[in-house]
Amino acid sequence: ASLQFTAEGVIGIQGFLSLHAPTVKHVSFKDMLKEEYKQEDAEAFAALGSAFQTSTHLETLNLSDNAISSSMWENWSNHTGLRQLILDYVRMDDSSVVELHRNFTFCDSLEELYIVLTNKLGSRGLAAANSILTRCNKLSSLRWAVKEAPPDAVLPWFGLAEMAAKQSGGSRVGSHLIHLVMDGGSISVDELGERGLCGALPYCTRLRSLKLRSIGIKDEGIDLMVSAFLQSKP
């Protein structure tokens, strides 16, 4: 926990990890970089990912309990078969989310995306978050949350709607989504409408669990959700 490496230390551990990288399926780097990090610490943490460049079997990446800088994502861009990305209690600024989108090469394989932010996103970060969801072709389990979110915290509702519609492709089978958790902030009228949550739900015919926490939904929002569910009948 809260490890710090010198430049020489990173090179050394990279060599050790690289010996095993070709057969590794699950990588977990948890609680290694705190919010008040130095740039050299962030670069050292990101460099650990380069040890797994030769891995062709990676299925799970867990970077929970970290401050994740934009330099992190380039070293994971070659893992096109990733099935599970877990980012629980992470701090990611707009630049980091933009870089995740830019290096999001596992959109055809990802089945579970778990993101719990400890900070709210700005407009650039939200746009990238929406685009990330839109690109997910096989996602079956999604959690996107902002912990202790202020009312103006934002969630990628529009990306959710586009993803569900895209996955469905007009088919009655609907999207792949089985589990959905959206948590934090106050949902707006637009985000609740056809381009947002209630635009996604008619395609969610396979949905088995839905958790909407702390989004400030009102009675009229419930009416819209009921109407959407009457179309999908999950």
Side-chain angles (χ1 to χ4, degrees):
S2 303
L3 294 177
Q4 290 183 318
F5 298 102
T6 63
E8 294 81 1
V10 170
I11 293 172
I13 200 169
Q14 280 178 320
F16 168 77
L17 294 174
S18 296
L19 294 175
H20 306 280
T23 57
V24 168
K25 291 185 177 181
H26 309 284
V27 172
S28 179
F29 288 153
K30 296 179 65 177
D31 195 19
M32 295 178 66
L33 191 66
K34 295 303 182 183
E35 293 188 11
E36 301 301 324
Y37 62 82
K38 298 178 181 178
Q39 184 60 34
E40 54 265 32
D41 294 331
E43 292 173 357
F45 181 35
L48 292 177
S50 64
F52 295 92
Q53 294 284 11
T54 60
S55 174
T56 57
H57 302 285
L58 194 67
E59 297 179 359
T60 300
L61 176 60
N62 188 341
L63 299 176
S64 299
D65 301 302
N66 286 300
I68 301 178
S69 67
S70 58
S71 59
M72 171 62 70
W73 298 114
E74 184 178 1
N75 288 325
W76 300 100
S77 61
N78 66 321
H79 298 293
T80 56
L82 198 68
R83 296 173 59 187
Q84 186 180 49
L85 178 60
I86 304 174
L87 305 171
D88 191 15
Y89 278 78
V90 298
R91 180 174 184 83
M92 294 174 61
D93 61 16
D94 283 16
S95 296
S96 182
V97 180
V98 168
E99 282 303 307
L100 171 58
H101 172 252
R102 188 172 296 166
N103 292 281
F104 201 77
T105 55
F106 28 83
C107 50
D108 290 327
S109 62
L110 198 67
E111 298 173 5
E112 180 176 347
L113 179 59
Y114 192 106
I115 297 181
V116 180
L117 296 172
T118 62
N119 62 287
K120 66 178 183 179
L121 296 176
S123 57
R124 287 179 62 239
L126 179 61
N130 281 314
S131 295
I132 286 171
L133 292 191
T134 301
R135 294 176 61 188
C136 291
N137 296 320
K138 294 184 178 180
L139 202 64
S140 61
S141 183
L142 169 65
R143 180 179 185 186
W144 199 296
V146 182
K147 298 310 294 182
E148 300 179 0
D152 59 344
V154 290
L155 299 178
W157 297 107
F158 300 140
L160 172 66
E162 290 189 20
M163 177 186 69
K166 178 183 175 184
Q167 285 187 1
S168 175
S171 169
R172 292 181 62 186
V173 175
S175 75
H176 296 285
L177 271 180
I178 297 175
H179 306 291
L180 175 62
V181 180
M182 302 290 276
D183 181 351
S186 294
I187 192 168
S188 68
V189 174
D190 287 343
E191 293 169 331
L192 185 60
E194 293 185 0
R195 292 184 57 240
L197 176 61
C198 290
L201 293 180
Y203 297 105
C204 295
T205 59
R206 306 180 190 183
L207 202 63
R208 297 175 65 182
S209 65
L210 172 65
K211 299 180 181 180
L212 304 172
R213 300 189 178 108
S214 304
I215 64 169
I217 197 165
K218 303 285 193 294
D219 286 356
E220 57 270 26
I222 297 296
D223 291 339
L224 292 172
M225 288 176 57
V226 169
S227 296
F229 273 130
L230 287 174
Q231 296 181 54
S232 58
K233 297 181 174 63

